[in-house]
């Protein structure tokens, strides 16, 4: 980023403040508020970037920061409840998805800033432009480990730098796998989905939709993530004159919080079974079956394999205006996938 920009709105900060990429309460909760850690290597020099998490900040408007600060207080309670196997509500689950949108995009903007000599182009979007805008998914596994831990996986690779779709957050005994992308879960949740997308060289995609199957199918992704897990997923859509016929169904309306705004309900999955939930419904993320079956937990591979799956799915659906453009884009994606696979082979855990 060539000039000082608010991480939330993308404008020059008004009454400039600092936004912690990972909130201070989370770092204190995990004992990561002291000392320096590596957040990956600098793509220009190849050297590790060591950073004090508490100093890992980006500029922000005071008002933007205060707005999200109100959310942080609620998320702190939700996070502690999940860690202790306590219930949360459907409204809590939706707020948690908002928070992960914010954290994922903040991490992306932070990594881009620290590699600005390699990725010199300014971001085309910021946190406010992406929270609750696309389908989102969150897998939660409670490992019941007693030691404190904070780690982030999947954010310092070419796949994430090009498209910040998926990452994993390790918080003490909890493992969170988060992703967000256009139509990432819509088809599996029974909603209309993108059969094809047309790439015309502009910034916008034009999607050709298929009618929803009006039933839940699993798994949501082919990538083997952490098991056992509890999952929440939410379809986000846009109702317009062109696509209204696809969404004007009882199934979509009955499974939406705000149909006119294109906000589907949160779907909750346990033991492979899923259902949409109301905001006042109670859910729980306990995975206590792990206790009698201890196992090791890979840090890098599941996240990177999910990034590959999302890239392959995306490029497969795109229609290009000409073969030359298609060959160019396909080769670019293949190069990214090769880079991710190299990461997997390098970090075999």
């Amino acid at each position: 980023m060539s000039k000082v920009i608010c991480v939330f709105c993308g404008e020059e900060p008004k009454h400039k403040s600092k936004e912690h990429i990972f909130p201070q309460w989370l770092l204190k909760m995990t004992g990561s508020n002291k000392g320096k850690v590596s957040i990956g290597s600098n793509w220009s020099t190849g050297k590790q970037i060591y950073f004090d998490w508490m100093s890992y900040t980006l500029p922000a408007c005071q008002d933007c920061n205060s707005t999200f600060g109100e959310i942080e207080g609620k998320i702190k309670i939700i996070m502690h409840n999940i860690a202790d196997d306590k219930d949360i509500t459907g409204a809590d689950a939706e707020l948690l998805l908002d928070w992960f949108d914010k954290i994922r995009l903040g991490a992306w903007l932070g990594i881009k800033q620290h590699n600005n000599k390699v990725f010199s182009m300014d971001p085309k979007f910021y946190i406010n432009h992406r929270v609750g805008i696309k389908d989102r998914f969150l897998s939660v596994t409670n490992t019941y480990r007693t030691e404190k831990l904070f780690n982030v996986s999947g954010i310092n690779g070419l796949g994430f730098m090009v498209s910040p779709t998926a990452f994993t957050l390790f918080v003490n005994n909890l493992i969170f796998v988060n992703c967000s992308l256009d139509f990432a879960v819509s088809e599996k949740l029974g909603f209309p989905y993108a059969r094809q997308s047309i790439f015309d060289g502009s910034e916008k995609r034009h999607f050709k939709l298929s009618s929803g199957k009006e039933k839940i199918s699993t798994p949501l992704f082919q990538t083997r993530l952490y098991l056992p897990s509890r999952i929440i997923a939410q379809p986000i859509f846009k109702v317009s004159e062109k696509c209204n016929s696809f969404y004007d169904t009882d199934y979509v309306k009955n499974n939406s919080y705000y149909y006119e705004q294109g906000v589907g309900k949160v779907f909750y999955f346990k033991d492979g079974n899923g259902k949409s939930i109301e905001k006042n419904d109670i859910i729980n993320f306990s995975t206590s079956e792990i206790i009698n079956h201890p196992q090791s937990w890979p840090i890098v591979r599941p996240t990177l394999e999910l990034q590959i799956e999302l890239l392959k799915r995306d490029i497969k659906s795109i229609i290009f205006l000409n073969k030359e453009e298609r060959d160019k884009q396909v080769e670019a994606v293949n190069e990214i996938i090769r880079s991710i696979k190299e990461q997997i082979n390098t970090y075999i855990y």
Side-chain angles (χ1 to χ4, degrees), residues 25-26 29-30 79 83 99-100 145 147-151 169-176:
W25 65 262
L26 183 66
M29 175 183 175
T30 57
M79 188 71 74
W99 185 78
F100 269 95
R145 292 177 299 205
E147 68 271 20
K148 289 189 174 183
L149 172 69
F150 181 78
N151 205 339
L169 186 65
F170 299 82
V171 179
N172 293 340
N173 53 307
L174 301 174
I175 304 175
F176 298 95

Side-chain angles (χ1 to χ4, degrees), residues 34-100:
K34 297 179 181 179
K36 293 185 177 182
V37 296
S38 170
I39 59 171
S41 58
N42 184 292
W43 285 48
S44 178
T45 65
K47 295 181 180 180
Q48 290 289 307
I49 304 172
Y50 286 97
F51 218 87
D52 174 359
W53 284 123
M54 293 293 283
S55 301
Y56 193 29
T57 61
L58 288 175
C61 298
Q62 188 174 24
D63 287 348
C64 289
N65 208 350
S66 296
T67 298
F68 275 90
E70 296 175 7
I71 294 176
E72 293 292 350
K74 297 176 182 178
I75 292 295
K76 179 179 179 181
I77 296 172
I78 294 169
M79 188 71 74
H80 279 286
N81 284 341
I82 294 174
D84 294 337
D85 277 351
K86 293 180 180 178
D87 296 336
I88 69 169
T89 65
D92 292 336
E94 187 178 33
L95 189 65
L96 189 63
L97 290 169
D98 284 346
W99 185 78
F100 269 95

Side-chain angles (χ1 to χ4, degrees), residues 163-181:
S163 180
T165 55
F167 85 122
T168 299
L169 186 65
F170 299 82
V171 179
N172 293 340
N173 53 307
L174 301 174
I175 304 175
F176 298 95
V177 182
N178 171 245
C179 76
S180 179
L181 187 69

Side-chain angles (χ1 to χ4, degrees), residues 288-301:
S288 56
E289 57 267 39
I290 285 177
I291 295 173
N292 296 322
H293 300 87
Q295 55 185 290
S296 59
W297 305 100
I299 295 177
V300 175
R301 179 178 289 271

Side-chain angles (χ1 to χ4, degrees), residues 202-213:
S202 69
E203 295 297 326
K204 291 186 177 182
R205 291 266 193 93
H206 305 281
F207 295 101
K208 288 188 174 182
L209 300 185
S210 287
S211 298
K213 299 174 183 177

